[in-house]
Amino acid sequence: MLNKKMQSSQKGNSKSKPKRGQAEVIFAAILAMALFSFLISANLISASDKDKSSTKSSNLGNKFNSMHGIQKTTKIVTERKEEPRYFMVFSTGCSPLQHWQSLLFFYFAHKVSQPGNVTRIVSGCSPDEAEALREVHREKITPLSDRFRLHVTPDWGYLDNKKYWNKPHGLRHWMENELRPPNNVTEYDDDIIIILDPDQILLKPITNDFSDFEDRSLWVTGKQIEKVRHGSPFAQQYGFGNGWLTSLKGRLAHVVGKDSPALKVTLQEASRYYPAGPPYIATGKDMF
């Protein structure tokens, strides 16, 4: 799956090394990319698809299980104590297409024994659709692993009618409601959060350790960075160049805030280090 160059926010001794908060820039870029996606939306699912998403939960789950011969399992994945906790999430709408993509995503997460929790963040469901989805999850997904979760959020599409806000706002809703109780805000700082898209399939587990990637050409800096750490998130390189920055036409501050270090990123830095997409991998502290 990681068949392109991996992005790392750590630049080694490069002369063009940005002197600002790398993690903040990466995730400011995620917000900008959400808006950029609206501007290049060819071949993406229409927002109206959510109105067509009424499916019978039993038929959806039974068809999937009969296709793949899934059996109930009590398999427990034992993680080494020295490893951080992992939280893998993927964001979806409430269309039939993304229901099927989600079933497949959970199946392969089970097949490769992905460590930690795996959560589908779903936005845009009506109350009846959300309840049907919860039933499918209880009957067909939870038996695969009790670490597989479903988190239903409000419909963020009302913000300028742009469905692309579902990912950043849905992620924040999940973090604020599931990971960060008001009286224990640092509990998840050292854990690893991984964001993928529902149309991606796991062929092997994803962790914070990339020490076995011996091919230096996988890294845009040519220098291997072995682990995701505070201030050094990883992401997949995409072919956006600096479009995520230039497409906003001077309105970046409106998206990322007037104090964001993303405002100081040059076009060259934006094109080389930050044209990133899923998988995004970062510590809980950096992600929030």
Side-chain angles (χ1 to χ4, degrees), residues 103-120:
L103 287 168
L104 195 63
F105 190 102
F106 280 121
Y107 170 73
F108 275 91
H110 163 73
K111 185 175 182 180
V112 304
S113 298
Q114 171 62 35
N117 293 342
V118 180
T119 300
R120 176 186 179 183

Side-chain angles (χ1 to χ4, degrees), residues 55-222:
T55 58
K56 292 185 179 180
S57 61
S58 59
N59 289 341
L60 178 63
N62 288 338
K63 286 180 180 179
F64 183 80
N65 280 10
S66 63
M67 287 170 58
H68 295 280
I70 295 177
Q71 302 295 326
K72 183 174 181 179
T73 178
T74 57
K75 181 179 180 180
I76 298 176
V77 178
T78 302
E79 299 180 25
R80 294 177 298 175
K81 291 183 179 181
E82 63 269 21
E83 288 189 348
R85 292 179 298 185
Y86 292 99
F87 296 89
M88 177 175 285
V89 299
F90 61 102
S91 173
T92 79
C94 205
S95 69
L97 170 64
Q98 295 204 313
H99 294 334
W100 279 101
Q101 288 176 332
S102 300
L103 287 168
L104 195 63
F105 190 102
F106 280 121
Y107 170 73
F108 275 91
H110 163 73
K111 185 175 182 180
V112 304
S113 298
Q114 171 62 35
N117 293 342
V118 180
T119 300
R120 176 186 179 183
I121 302 174
V122 59
S123 307
C125 296
S126 70
D128 288 344
E129 289 170 337
E131 184 53 39
L133 203 55
R134 291 187 182 100
E135 184 179 348
V136 169
H137 193 88
R138 285 192 297 266
E139 293 182 357
K140 309 302 177 183
I141 303 302
T142 300
L144 294 178
S145 173
D146 60 5
R147 298 177 293 104
F148 292 172
R149 313 289 174 82
L150 177 70
H151 181 79
V152 179
T153 80
D155 182 6
W156 307 107
Y158 73 88
L159 297 171
D160 299 326
N161 196 32
K162 293 180 176 63
K163 61 181 179 177
Y164 308 102
W165 292 120
N166 279 340
K167 180 177 289 182
H169 286 287
L171 177 67
R172 181 168 183 172
H173 188 275
W174 168 73
M175 293 188 73
E176 291 180 339
N177 287 273
E178 298 292 336
L179 297 190
R180 299 181 72 91
N183 297 322
N184 199 14
V185 295
T186 62
E187 178 182 349
Y188 299 92
D189 278 359
D190 296 326
D191 296 331
I192 300 297
I193 297 176
I194 307 165
I195 307 173
L196 286 92
D197 279 341
D199 60 354
Q200 296 177 320
I201 291 176
L202 292 172
L203 301 181
K204 62 183 296 186
I206 297 180
T207 69
N208 70 325
D209 188 348
F210 289 83
S211 58
D212 60 343
F213 279 70
E214 299 179 357
D215 187 352
R216 292 169 63 94
S217 68
L218 288 171
W219 310 96
V220 294
T221 60

Side-chain angles (χ1 to χ4, degrees), residues 8-11 17-27 231-233 261 273-274:
S8 172
S9 62
Q10 197 171 21
K11 306 302 181 303
K17 178 180 177 181
K19 298 179 180 179
R20 38 198 158 269
Q22 303 294 345
E24 291 186 54
V25 176
I26 280 284
F27 297 107
S232 182
Y273 299 122
Y274 300 111

Side-chain angles (χ1 to χ4, degrees), residues 223-251:
K223 177 182 179 181
Q224 180 175 346
I225 310 300
E226 293 189 350
K227 286 192 174 183
V228 177
R229 301 182 178 91
H230 292 310
S232 182
F234 285 23
Q236 181 76 44
Q237 184 183 37
Y238 279 57
F240 296 136
N242 58 23
W244 66 270
L245 188 60
T246 59
S247 65
L248 297 176
K249 299 179 180 179
R251 293 173 291 178

